[in-house]
Amino acid sequence: MAKARTTAFFCKECGYESAKWTGQCPSCREWNTMVEEPVAKKASDRRAVVREGVKKTARPVKLSEVSIEDQDRISTGYRELDRVLGSGIVAGSLVLVGGDPGIGKSTLLLQVCRNLAADGHKVLYISGEESLKQIKLRANRIGEITGELLFLCETNLDDIEEAIRETKPETVIIDSIQTMYREDVTSAPGSVSQVRESTNILLQIAKGMGISVFIVGHVTKEGVVAGPRVLEHMVDTVLYFEGERNASYRILRGVKNRFGSTNEIGVFEMQEQGLSEVENPSEYLLSGRPKEASGAVVACSLEGTRPILLEVQALVAQTNFGMARRTAAGTDYNRVNLLMAVLEKRCHYEMSRYDAYVNIAGGVRMNEPALDLAIVLALVSSLKDRPVDPKCIIFGEVGLSGEVRAVSMAEQRVREAVKLGFEACILPQVCLGKMKKVEGIRLLGVRNVREAIGLI
Ligand code: TYD
Ligand code: MG
């Protein structure tokens, strides 16, 4: 009889399993991602069990027989988080929260637990990273905890499963999937097969018992959740918690959501007493803006359904070397290069003689093409050393021939500007034609970059 295999090779990216090592993963074509790990003992009769289960429960139904009840969604107590989740937590959903260490994932989830418990929900917070003492210290900072919020420090998933079955909470937090392990998988916690198998168990718990499970995941240097990509495919919702270490605001970004739109963001601020919501990020991002400074303009970017005003800064200075330096912070470097080439070719500015530094103030990252026109005008304003009217906002996409192209949801952007007291708006002419009239703001439609430069 052939000896049973005890190890196999797994792809770190996609979780593909192979009997022998290969340099390139046959499934996702990534190089050097195959690692050797012990294989889990397969339950041989699992298929049979599943088949039986299917026989019992699977019955095709008409969509009209399915009821959608509003109370299926539970509010987290934070409007910012609810919006990213798609108006609240869905019972039986699996949510992955990724982010750099120390960004505030545990703090956010603990605060959510506190809100849920205060609302009369039963919550179980399982930490594999911190002791009960450490959790208590953090809890003391965020304020009083009332209601049924239970804590468990455990990393063995079989024990965790038992605890969940016993306590029957409505929501479970798993603080870091990378610390969890199953005994029948012999590789170390955090490895590809452990993460995959652990998530599988949690998936069954969530779907089988209708419990919503939040999973904390660490991210790698490249900024993706550590572990195989299948992790992201298995869960319903993937949220990234991001922000600069030295700035106090944090952005929660939805990158996958089976229950709502993605690309929604929630903005929080880290304070002494934990995280607090920032209801009006535009005001926040524009605070401390220099008035009458050249090279600074206000742009409007759309995050999901939400217009956010932000300040685009540019500094253009004569270059001292043969080759001009360019940097872009908070936006796409190549896009900035492209826009400078457009200025050079279509407007005859000798940009190659100048260094250029572009920055989105406040440390946020925005890559929307609607920022193009603002970047172009910030560059020109700095080059000519002429400030742009501080009561004017700018948005529009710039094409390669210097034309200003339409952007989506122009009206919402203009309304946000009116709300914050702006008096003028430079926008694509095409958008102006399609828009309803907005009171209290002068709308200046432009067809190309040259027209826009003429206006400032
Ligand atoms: P934490 O939630 O432990 O991060 P993660 O779980 O993502 O690793 O966040 C810890 C950071 O937050 C730490 O640097 C201290 C800071 N913090 C505050 O500034 N105020 C607070 O009230 C709390 C609880 C943490
Ligand atoms: Mg933590």
Side-chain angles (χ1 to χ4, degrees), residues 325-398:
R325 272 176 63 87
R326 270 96 212 254
T327 66
T331 186
D332 185 17
Y333 173 76
N334 291 322
R335 193 88 203 163
V336 170
N337 274 338
L338 183 151
L339 294 172
M340 295 192 66
V342 169
L343 274 179
E344 174 122 28
K345 186 85 181 169
R346 308 288 170 201
C347 308
H348 310 291
Y349 290 112
E350 286 185 69
M351 297 311 278
S352 50
R353 284 178 33 217
Y354 295 93
D355 292 339
Y357 309 91
V358 173
N359 177 35
I360 309 283
V364 282
R365 274 205 75 80
M366 299 280 169
N367 278 332
E368 215 207 342
L371 288 184
D372 288 356
L373 190 60
I375 295 175
V376 166
L377 294 186
L379 287 166
V380 174
S381 156
S382 176
L383 179 71
K384 304 233 153 173
D385 204 9
R386 221 178 278 159
V388 175
D389 175 13
K391 290 263 169 226
C392 176
I393 79 146
I394 297 157
F395 61 86
E397 182 179 345
V398 174

Side-chain angles (χ1 to χ4, degrees), residues 102 104-107 125 129-130 138 175-176 216 218:
K105 300 180 294 294
S106 306
T107 308
Y125 187 107
E129 300 198 330
E130 288 157 311
R138 171 174 303 126
D175 200 343
S176 123
V216 172
H218 292 292

Side-chain angles (χ1 to χ4, degrees), residues 291-347:
K291 298 273 152 76
E292 305 288 328
S294 70
V297 303
V298 179
C300 184
S301 177
L302 211 63
E303 284 290 337
T305 53
R306 191 177 195 198
I308 290 181
L309 300 191
L310 42 90
E311 186 190 350
V312 176
Q313 301 177 326
L315 183 66
V316 177
Q318 199 123 35
T319 182
N320 287 325
F321 305 100
M323 208 161 101
R325 272 176 63 87
R326 270 96 212 254
T327 66
T331 186
D332 185 17
Y333 173 76
N334 291 322
R335 193 88 203 163
V336 170
N337 274 338
L338 183 151
L339 294 172
M340 295 192 66
V342 169
L343 274 179
E344 174 122 28
K345 186 85 181 169
R346 308 288 170 201
C347 308

Side-chain angles (χ1 to χ4, degrees), residues 100-107 138 141 270-274:
D100 289 329
I103 205 81
K105 300 180 294 294
S106 306
T107 308
R138 171 174 303 126
R141 289 174 75 169
M270 183 62 96
Q271 290 171 341
E272 267 307 293
Q273 295 84 28

Side-chain angles (χ1 to χ4, degrees), residues 42-73:
K42 288 249 162 61
S44 53
D45 53 351
R46 196 162 72 189
R47 252 199 125 88
V49 173
V50 170
R51 278 228 194 94
E52 237 166 63
V54 165
K55 234 180 234 158
K56 260 186 273 155
T57 56
R59 182 179 67 89
V61 292
K62 288 193 193 135
L63 273 186
S64 55
E65 292 169 36
V66 180
S67 70
I68 314 165
E69 284 157 36
D70 264 353
Q71 55 266 45
D72 277 350
R73 300 244 183 195

